[in-house]
Amino acid sequence: MPPKIDALIGLIDLLRPKKVKLAFYIPGNSSEDPEKGNPMRHLRCVAIMLILAAFATGCQSASRSAAPAGDLRVPPMFSDHMVLQRERPIPVWGWGTPGGSITVSLGGHTKRTLVDAHGKWMLRMPAMPAGGPHTMEVSGKETVQFSDVLLGEVWLCSGQSNMAMNLQPGPEAVYNVEKETAAANLPTLRLFTVPSVTSFSAKEDFAKTAWVACTPDTAPPFSAVGFFFGRDLQERLKVPVGLIHSSWGGSPAEAWTSAEVLATLPTFAERMKTMPGEVEAARKKIPAYERQLADWTGLLESRDAGQTAGKPTWAAPELNTQDWLEMKVPDHWENTALGNLDGAVWFRTSVDIPAAWAGHPLQLGLCAINDMHRAYVNGVEVGRFEETAGWTIPKVYEVPASGVHAGSNVIVVRVFDVGGKGGLCGAAKDLWLRRADAPNESISLAKSWVCKPGVDLAALPPKPVGPLMEGNPRIPTVLYNGMIAPVIPYALRGAIWYQGEGNVGRAAEYSTLFPAMIKDWRTRWNQGAFPFLFVQLAGFMKPNPEPVEDIVAELREAQTAALSLPNTAMATAVDIGDPANIHPRNKQDVGRRLALAALRMTYREEVTGWGPMYERMSMEGAAICLHFTNVDRGLAATDKKPLAGFAIAGEDRHFVWAQAHIEGSCVVVSSP
């Protein structure tokens, strides 16, 4: 056979999908059954056609591959320091010029594919054992390399604010947070945070972000539950662990579920039919809303006593502040005489700059500020933060050399709070001023400042309420579209989930919605029934003096419906809540219990369980015996006091507090 024809038949074989029959029709015989006749005749016909096309375009020789793809791009999920799932095929995907060739190399393996007509490509690298570091190379016309790539265990961490609660210091931070973050030098624990994005359609990509190795600097912005889960898992498994954090405070489960699945649920089917129309109608209202919001914002700025004609008069260095309130910073202003104020409060302090610092650019470090702020040094604005998302993260602003002088300098921060607690409320260690070229020389700003309200929102008309918009995380499907769909199909071991508060009051609905969401994710990842571990809602609010119906308890019961699905587990958290705080500070035990569930259920480790689970009840004479599973060596009351919180009723269903005591794995309740 002529060498050029042989080369082109080799090309045909190279492009032939494995385990798929490839048929060719001969021009002029379109009705011929491609399974009959001489297959080599068909191949030679195609080969001759390809040769003619090659000569027509000036090709001098046949090639065994398509041209390398241009405009090569991969999603942010692939970056330096990433962790890829061990012992499982690894999907790698991206975008390029249609028809172009893509080559991926990793750990001694190489795979090739073509970019489809829509500019997309995907291939799967073979399963590999834990280890690294490796380099992954993706090549088209361009070449992208990712270094320090590890193979290990990858888990998705999702839910609402109790999953989003991070490791930043502050008055309501995680217990022992500074000690925990100081010890967070875990180079093979890798962290990835999905940007907070909502969308009415499934996104393929999101803003540029990257994997980071866990250090005392990178751990604080990350999910505390995720961190403690990953740390405990790695300590036991001794392999790299990668954590993907994708959560949004206040979000309901329906926001994390695809539109296709919601349309099959009776309580959401009608809404999913009408939602496209609602979205379109809302978009038409946006211009009017933006005008109203601009007018309201202008009124707010004009009513701020700290400003005159838009200029920050209260930032002036020479301002007399004798009538200002003194306040220890950092703290919430609700803990002072200002009380529960929502609006703008101005903070001022002075700092003596050493003569050696004069003529040098400085940096101003500000702790977490709730919610937004503008910062000034000697009357000149040096930075501002106008978005509430990310308010928990400390900020560093550059101060030009021309803006400072030896001796007393005035720092002013205008803090604007839209609800809840306000103020410079982060960690004292994040409040400082230092030379930019000598970061070890710093002056702490954690001390007494003076403050004064500029404007109280109660004195203004209500802020305009916007139409249905993509920024609302409570709308069905918008978080699945913006924060889950772009992660699929990154290879995972499983997911951990802390959510439910956003669905309190809708327990019956949640009992079908939550399992549907889990099945939805598993179907779309196409990795089987991967482990899905979730947290029971923690104890919250003071106990009632008499037994009553409780919507939080009903939601806890609804959560258990998901346990009917394979590879699911619920970590108990009722005992580690805070009656005064819906965001309990003990996130260590939450992460530990999720890790225990993973070790026992997923990795078949012989470990103690992750909390008692009610199984059934039985009558024992005049008492009822409540049977629990997952109790290891038996139940125990840690405070050694008589058990509280159990109620019992007769046939009249009038509940009264019960006497209760432990017998092995049972709690026996009774009442005269």
Side-chain angles (χ1 to χ4, degrees):
M1 188 178 295
K4 289 183 179 179
I5 295 178
D6 182 58
L8 284 166
I9 291 177
L11 168 62
I12 293 167
D13 186 64
L14 178 67
L15 300 181
R16 183 198 304 265
K18 302 303 179 186
K19 298 184 181 179
V20 176
K21 292 182 179 179
L22 186 62
F24 298 89
Y25 286 86
I26 301 174
N29 290 333
S30 59
S31 62
E32 183 176 309
D33 183 349
E35 292 296 300
K36 297 179 182 179
N38 181 353
M40 284 307 300
R41 178 183 172 215
H42 300 168
L43 289 173
R44 285 171 181 159
C45 179
V46 173
I48 291 169
M49 292 171 65
L50 291 172
I51 290 170
L52 292 173
F55 281 127
T57 55
C59 235
Q60 297 302 311
S61 62
S63 169
R64 288 183 176 267
S65 63
D71 303 319
L72 175 64
R73 187 165 61 88
V74 295
M77 299 300 307
F78 300 98
S79 76
D80 295 342
H81 316 302
M82 64 181 156
V83 177
L84 300 171
Q85 179 59 47
R86 64 169 172 166
E87 300 168 356
R88 179 165 287 176
I90 303 167
V92 183
W93 72 96
W95 301 268
T97 302
S101 173
I102 299 291
T103 302
V104 178
S105 299
L106 173 68
H109 302 276
T110 298
K111 286 287 189 81
R112 295 180 180 85
T113 191
L114 297 178
V115 183
D116 69 17
H118 303 288
K120 302 175 184 178
W121 59 268
M122 189 183 82
L123 51 75
R124 294 180 186 273
M125 301 302 290
M128 294 178 238
H134 300 287
T135 296
M136 186 169 86
E137 185 173 281
V138 183
S139 298
K141 280 188 176 179
E142 306 89 11
T143 296
V144 181
Q145 280 192 344
F146 304 112
S147 62
D148 190 29
V149 177
L150 302 180
L151 273 292
E153 293 297 294
V154 180
W155 285 80
L156 175 66
C157 314
S158 189
Q160 59 180 108
S161 55
N162 270 303
M163 182 64 78
M165 184 175 174
N166 59 30
L167 290 163
Q168 295 287 1
E172 297 180 358
V174 170
Y175 286 137
N176 303 316
V177 68
E178 295 189 0
K179 180 180 178 181
E180 297 282 20
T181 54
N185 190 20
L186 304 169
T188 59
L189 177 63
R190 305 292 172 82
L191 313 173
F192 184 93
T193 299
V194 177
S196 297
V197 174
T198 64
S199 176
F200 288 120
S201 59
K203 287 185 171 292
E204 295 181 335
D205 204 359
F206 44 74
K208 186 65 176 177
T209 184
W211 287 88
V212 294
C214 182
T215 69
D217 292 325
T218 60
F222 198 75
S223 162
V225 169
F227 168 78
F228 293 124
F229 166 79
R231 183 187 67 179
D232 289 3
L233 205 62
Q234 186 177 62
E235 185 176 332
R236 184 70 179 236
L237 298 177
K238 309 299 183 187
V239 299
V241 170
L243 302 173
I244 301 169
H245 174 217
S246 180
S247 67
W248 193 312
S251 57
E254 61 266 26
W256 297 97
T257 309
S258 73
E260 292 81 2
V261 166
L262 290 176
T264 68
L265 302 178
T267 52
F268 290 98
E270 189 60 32
R271 178 73 194 279
M272 300 317 294
K273 289 179 183 177
T274 61
M275 208 167 101
E278 293 176 31
V279 171
E280 184 59 30
R283 284 177 172 156
K284 291 179 180 178
K285 295 177 182 177
I286 288 176
Y289 163 72
E290 289 178 341
R291 289 192 297 272
Q292 294 166 4
L293 182 61
D295 291 342
W296 184 87
T297 302
L299 179 64
L300 167 72
E301 295 292 326
S302 67
R303 294 281 185 87
D304 189 337
Q307 300 181 146
T308 301
K311 294 184 178 180
T313 51
W314 284 4
E318 65 279 1
L319 186 74
N320 186 333
T321 60
Q322 286 185 344
D323 62 340
W324 287 41
L325 174 70
E326 189 171 335
M327 175 179 168
K328 180 72 174 176
V329 173
D331 199 355
H332 291 109
W333 68 57
E334 283 76 7
N335 298 329
T336 72
L338 294 178
N340 295 321
L341 170 74
D342 292 329
V345 176
W346 293 72
F347 289 81
R348 289 174 60 100
T349 190
S350 61
V351 58
D352 285 330
I353 300 295
W357 287 23
H360 293 269
L362 306 184
Q363 290 180 327
L364 172 64
L366 296 179
C367 63
I369 299 176
N370 197 347
D371 290 310
M372 296 165 277
H373 64 267
R374 300 173 191 168
Y376 305 86
V377 175
N378 293 327
V380 178
E381 184 174 310
V382 296
R384 64 169 62 194
F385 184 70
E386 300 289 9
E387 300 293 336
T388 54
W391 64 267
T392 58
I393 300 173
K395 304 293 187 295
V396 177
Y397 296 121
E398 304 296 325
V399 182
S402 59
V404 295
H405 52 263
S408 180
N409 290 252
V410 175
I411 297 172
V412 176
V413 181
R414 178 194 189 249
V415 179
F416 183 65
D417 176 55
V418 297
K421 295 184 176 181
L424 291 94
C425 52
K429 70 179 182 63
D430 295 322
L431 276 168
W432 42 259
L433 189 69
R434 69 188 182 196
R435 273 179 55 173
D437 56 354
N440 292 329
E441 300 179 24
S442 65
I443 300 172
S444 174
L445 301 178
K447 57 178 183 173
S448 289
W449 293 42
V450 292
C451 62
K452 186 175 182 178
V455 62
D456 186 342
L457 290 184
L460 297 178
K463 183 178 180 180
V465 177
L468 177 70
M469 295 176 70
E470 293 189 355
N472 185 346
R474 299 191 60 82
I475 298 173
T477 206
V478 295
L479 298 183
Y480 166 80
N481 290 334
M483 298 179 67
I484 296 298
V487 180
I488 300 171
Y490 198 87
L492 306 172
R493 176 64 69 192
I496 61 173
W497 173 262
Y498 196 160
Q499 191 275 338
E501 299 94 337
N503 291 82
V504 164
R506 297 185 284 147
E509 178 185 274
Y510 197 80
S511 65
T512 57
L513 169 62
F514 185 36
M517 189 205 81
I518 296 172
K519 290 187 285 187
D520 187 18
W521 288 17
R522 287 172 168 176
T523 298
R524 292 175 185 280
W525 249 280
N526 195 27
Q527 293 181 183
F530 59 70
F532 196 101
L533 317 175
F534 56 95
V535 182
Q536 175 195 50
L537 291 191
F540 177 54
M541 296 186 292
K542 293 180 180 180
N544 293 293
E546 297 297 332
V548 295
E549 298 292 335
D550 183 89
I551 58 175
V552 179
E554 290 175 355
L555 199 286
R556 290 193 192 101
E557 185 175 15
Q559 288 180 293
T560 65
L563 295 174
S564 63
L565 301 178
N567 286 333
T568 56
M570 182 173 76
T572 302
V574 128
D575 60 316
I576 51 177
D578 182 339
N581 190 349
I582 200 170
H583 304 120
R585 299 176 63 193
N586 182 359
K587 291 297 187 277
Q588 287 90 334
D589 280 324
V590 177
R592 181 176 300 115
R593 292 174 186 184
L594 287 167
L596 288 171
L599 289 167
R600 187 162 158 182
M601 190 183 76
T602 305
Y603 302 104
R604 309 303 180 199
E605 296 268 345
E606 292 296 327
V607 296
T608 303
W610 49 93
M613 281 293 300
Y614 169 76
E615 181 185 31
R616 60 187 174 87
M617 60 169 277
S618 62
M619 295 294 295
E620 304 288 343
I624 291 178
C625 184
L626 305 176
H627 299 262
F628 290 84
T629 60
N630 199 37
V631 297
D632 195 39
R633 288 166 291 181
L635 296 170
T638 54
D639 60 6
K640 310 301 182 185
K641 296 178 181 179
L643 299 185
F646 291 87
I648 190 169
E651 292 183 359
D652 61 0
R653 298 192 62 80
H654 175 67
F655 279 87
V656 296
W657 292 123
Q659 298 166 358
H661 66 276
I662 293 170
E663 291 184 6
S665 61
C666 295
V667 174
V668 180
V669 297
S670 62
S671 172

